[in-house]
Amino acid sequence: MSNNGHKIELPSSIVIRDLAQMIEKSPIDLIKKLMTNGVMATINQSVDFDTAAIVVAEYGFEAVPEVIEEASKEEAGEVPLWRQMIAGEDGAQLKPRPPVVTILGHVDHGKTSLLDAIRSTEVAAGEAGGITQHIGAYQVEKKGRLITFLDTPGHAAFTQMRARGAQGADIVVLVVAADDGVMPQTREAIAHAKAARVPIMVALNKIDKANANPDRVKQQLAELELVPDDWGGSTMVVPVSAKQKQGIDDLLEGILLVADSVEIKANPNGKVIGTVIEAELDKAKGVLATLLVQNGTLEASDIVVAGTAYGKLRAITDFKGKPIKKAGPSTPVAVMGLSDVPSAGDIFQVVGSEKEARIIVNERMETAKTLSQTKKKVSLEDLFANVQAGEAKELNLIVKADVQGSLDPIVNELNKLGEGEIGLKILHAETGNIGNNDVMLASASKAIIIGFNVQADVDARRMAEKEGVDIRLYEIIYRMTEDIEKALNGMLEPKVVEKTLGRATVLQVFTASKFGRVAGCKVTDGELRRGARVRLFRGTDMIYEGDLSSLRHEKEDAKEIRTGFECGVGFKSFNDIQSGDQLVCYIVEKSG
Ligand code: GDP
């Protein structure tokens, strides 16, 4: 979209907030203009091209239809994951589908209570006994439209899905307790939602409490670029009390408004694809899995591949436990019949035959093997190579520091560095040690974790290893900025690690005219390799370090000598060898 003089390019439909931003006018002003033209709309609602054209004309702009460059948007990674999942579908066949909502927020702010409140007020009403089973997702109806809720709150589940390439949720409802305000996990949740490019709305919970302070929370949200709509911003903030079941209707209506502003679509007749929400092994029933259909329509006897599990479905039930024959987009279902337990976040698809299923599963297992062998996803050392290969355009960072006082200057310094050719994006900056959640976010967003005067928890380190996430710890700010700067300029030396090849003991020393003094050694462990590096120890003192320039076995040149064998070893320009000395042979490798 560009604003060429008085001409302005507009898409076929545009959200009021974005339109206001384009013409640099206040959204309130715009809404008023719309009202005088007989159009009632809120800041998050969209208007079509014609309506937008009339309004912008009042400000002196001439609207022209936007030329869409879909491909470049996808290249920039600006397309939500679910859209990428259905990229092959014919645009004309796409139909609106219910929004899928996940609830994130700080511990004890009321995520579970809110999910319970929505479920009990909206679903159970009129249904004797309500829902007897919990399958990890449920649906409610509002104004004749469905909304799907993921019933596993918290960003661990959300990010785990994203790390596997799935995007379960279309909208994030951020729960913030009105008496407690924005807390570390609130900020973390915002970082996760932003990294996933999922719109955020806020449920301001616990407003029933005497010490609730909604204005303070709004202020805090505004500081985090979530400016509340009643303050002229674009983030919907709905006051609720999960405990007293107040505000639930408003919240659901708000969700529908947000859903309208982001166009959530699928092709109900297209390729059947979706995400595994949860799965377990039941002793009596076999594998039970909850699937969220995201495109196409799943049918009761379909053959499904989910991660590396597959099988012909034996039964599909809805979230209330009622058997159903078909499930369209955004429907959560419980299924039986898979061969194995898939992981939450695995993508599933329907295939034509069990044979085809087996082929796909075998391929996936092979890919998983190679992936784990080449596990590094992104490291600072690789950054520049990735940029040159066109695989990265910016460096994503997660910054953890010991205290706020050091976090702020670090973030400032880093932001300055990101003004060059390669952008630098700080996904999350917080005080405290590096934990699992940081690693999951890094893994899902191909980010690097920078720690300043903090440690990485043991679990986090293990997970980083597994996921191939680069954690870099610093104690001096300029060392950190220096490293990042060098990486951005492609000047960072590759990280090197030393690998010990073997050890040997010197049994006797003799003189050979060609090499000077030669050590007659026995290899006690591993191997000695010609051309590798060696260190010579006398007791605990290291008396020489250099190249192993000559290696012979019974007067023949040898490439390597293994444990138990004897050999002659010579060093270039070093002769002070004694029997009893110990040799350690090693090589230096680029890591990653
Ligand atoms: P979660 O950790 O975010 O899932 O939070 P919970 O839903 O477990 O709620 C934490 C605590 O806050 C529980 O003791 C709830 O009873 C209480 N709580 C949740 N919502 C409200 C509310 O709207 N008002 C009040 N007064 N308490 C609430």
Side-chain angles (χ1 to χ4, degrees):
M1 281 183 258
S2 70
N3 180 0
N4 183 6
H6 276 307
K7 277 212 170 107
I8 184 167
E9 279 186 13
L10 292 179
S12 57
S13 98
I14 183 164
V15 179
I16 305 289
R17 167 190 54 210
D18 298 339
L19 185 61
Q21 215 169 22
M22 273 175 83
I23 58 170
E24 294 174 352
K25 297 284 178 244
S26 116
I28 307 288
D29 214 45
L30 220 75
I31 290 168
K32 280 189 196 148
K33 281 256 182 341
L34 279 166
M35 273 165 73
T36 57
N37 281 293
V39 180
M40 307 292 277
T42 65
I43 185 158
N44 282 316
Q45 273 177 328
S46 317
V47 288
D48 59 14
F49 176 87
D50 294 339
T51 313
I54 294 171
V55 180
V56 297
E58 296 202 17
Y59 294 101
F61 290 94
E62 184 196 339
V64 293
E66 177 193 18
V67 184
I68 301 171
E69 290 169 24
E70 276 300 331
S72 68
K73 266 194 196 169
E74 280 191 28
E75 261 168 30
E78 279 170 14
V79 182
L81 274 168
W82 68 262
R83 275 190 183 271
Q84 293 176 30
M85 282 167 75
I86 62 161
E89 294 294 340
D90 172 7
Q93 300 299 317
L94 297 182
K95 304 240 157 41
R97 61 171 172 82
V100 180
V101 178
T102 191
I103 297 196
L104 308 183
H106 195 69
V107 64
D108 277 348
H109 278 198
K111 297 181 291 295
T112 316
S113 307
L114 189 59
L115 279 164
D116 289 347
I118 296 168
R119 190 196 299 112
S120 64
T121 48
E122 303 297 325
V123 183
E127 280 180 44
I131 315 168
T132 49
Q133 63 165 19
H134 283 189
I135 64 159
Y138 64 81
Q139 286 189 309
V140 301
E141 202 181 307
K142 187 86 236 160
K143 292 185 158 173
R145 295 166 63 182
L146 287 169
I147 303 172
T148 305
F149 282 91
L150 297 182
D151 210 354
T152 36
H155 44 255
F158 177 72
T159 305
Q160 202 172 19
M161 280 195 192
R162 215 157 65 77
R164 291 196 152 79
Q167 180 180 303
D170 304 306
I171 298 172
V172 163
V173 169
L174 181 69
V175 175
V176 187
D179 60 337
D180 202 20
V182 168
M183 297 300 279
Q185 286 169 326
T186 319
R187 280 192 284 270
E188 218 171 272
I190 295 172
H192 284 243
K194 280 192 176 165
R197 298 172 209 273
V198 175
I200 304 173
M201 63 178 291
V202 177
L204 192 54
N205 192 29
K206 305 198 188 185
I207 45 152
D208 58 290
K209 288 187 108 171
N211 57 346
N213 191 345
D215 279 339
R216 180 172 150 260
V217 181
K218 286 181 184 175
Q219 181 63 45
Q220 291 174 325
L221 289 169
E223 282 163 14
L224 295 169
E225 293 172 14
L226 293 179
V227 183
D229 50 354
D230 55 351
W231 287 18
S234 56
T235 303
M236 201 176 294
V237 180
V238 183
V240 297
S241 165
K243 196 170 185 178
Q244 300 188 347
K245 300 191 173 138
Q246 280 172 13
I248 306 293
D249 267 358
D250 295 342
L251 183 68
L252 298 178
E253 279 179 27
I255 289 171
L256 291 176
L257 284 178
V258 176
D260 287 339
S261 72
V262 283
E263 284 208 318
I264 297 162
K265 290 185 169 175
N267 177 5
N269 300 313
K271 193 169 164 238
V272 187
I273 186 163
T275 301
V276 177
I277 303 297
E278 56 183 40
E280 59 172 15
L281 188 62
D282 180 281
K283 279 200 192 91
K285 297 177 184 156
V287 177
L288 293 180
T290 300
L291 307 180
L292 174 69
V293 181
Q294 282 165 303
N295 194 61
T297 300
L298 185 69
E299 297 191 19
S301 55
D302 277 342
I303 298 164
V304 164
V305 179
T308 52
Y310 69 95
K312 191 176 163 71
L313 299 185
R314 277 192 278 126
I316 313 187
T317 51
D318 68 5
F319 68 93
K320 297 174 206 156
K322 199 172 95 212
I324 50 172
K325 290 209 172 73
K326 288 174 178 207
S330 297
T331 314
V333 288
V335 302
M336 284 193 279
L338 290 177
S339 58
D340 210 345
V341 185
S343 303
D346 275 345
I347 294 181
F348 77 84
Q349 69 192 83
V350 167
V351 294
S353 66
E354 298 214 17
K355 191 173 158 215
E356 193 183 332
R358 274 193 297 271
I359 294 172
I360 294 176
V361 166
N362 282 340
E363 271 172 14
R364 285 196 181 157
M365 285 175 164
E366 284 301 315
T367 322
K369 235 192 267 166
T370 16
L371 272 184
S372 71
Q373 279 157 3
T374 56
K375 62 187 175 198
K376 270 262 174 284
K377 282 189 178 162
V378 59
S379 74
L380 207 50
E381 284 78 15
D382 297 336
L383 170 73
F384 202 71
N386 288 345
V387 169
Q388 285 181 326
E391 287 164 19
K393 291 191 181 65
E394 56 184 10
L395 173 61
N396 287 333
L397 289 178
I398 292 166
V399 186
K400 301 293 292 256
D402 51 346
V403 289
Q404 196 66 36
S406 42
L407 194 59
D408 296 338
I410 289 171
V411 168
N412 280 340
E413 289 293 316
L414 290 174
N415 279 334
K416 268 188 242 158
L417 291 180
E419 286 162 7
E421 205 167 304
I422 305 175
L424 197 152
K425 192 158 145 206
I426 300 177
L427 297 179
H428 183 48
E430 187 64 64
T431 54
N433 276 349
I434 296 161
N436 272 353
N437 279 332
D438 300 312
V439 178
M440 284 312 288
L441 177 58
S443 167
S445 317
K446 296 201 170 41
I448 287 166
I449 304 179
I450 303 279
F452 184 77
N453 275 334
V454 293
Q455 293 299 316
D457 297 343
V458 179
D459 270 2
R461 243 180 288 155
R462 219 171 278 148
M463 190 187 276
E465 178 90 352
K466 192 168 137 247
E467 301 283 329
V469 169
D470 192 4
I471 298 182
R472 306 182 80 98
L473 303 175
Y474 296 92
E475 284 169 358
I476 300 169
I477 294 188
Y478 84 79
R479 282 216 196 292
M480 177 195 72
T481 47
E482 206 175 69
D483 263 12
I484 305 276
E485 196 169 7
K486 279 186 186 161
L488 292 177
N489 294 321
M491 283 154 49
L492 194 70
E493 294 286 320
K495 197 160 44 178
V496 290
V497 286
E498 220 180 272
K499 192 168 146 203
T500 301
L501 293 178
R503 293 182 171 79
T505 307
V506 180
L507 302 176
Q508 55 173 311
V509 183
F510 45 89
T511 306
S513 57
K514 201 166 147 202
F515 300 104
R517 282 166 75 81
V518 170
C521 303
K522 181 168 183 166
V523 182
T524 52
D525 171 28
E527 63 175 42
L528 298 192
R529 193 184 294 170
R530 183 148 47 101
R533 302 274 299 170
V534 275
R535 292 194 183 100
L536 189 68
F537 289 91
R538 189 161 301 155
T540 52
D541 294 338
M542 186 179 81
I543 55 170
Y544 174 72
E545 181 170 23
D547 294 332
L548 199 162
S549 46
S550 105
L551 183 64
R552 303 193 117 196
H553 179 64
E554 293 176 350
K555 303 206 166 139
E556 294 290 318
D557 277 335
K559 268 197 182 136
E560 67 222 352
I561 306 286
R562 302 244 160 84
T563 318
F565 289 93
E566 295 187 359
C567 55
V569 175
F571 312 112
K572 225 181 241 165
S573 60
F574 180 78
N575 284 318
D576 176 24
I577 316 166
Q578 289 180 12
S579 74
D581 288 350
Q582 298 288 326
L583 265 180
V584 177
C585 180
Y586 67 94
I587 50 169
V588 175
E589 280 184 334
K590 276 192 203 172
S591 87

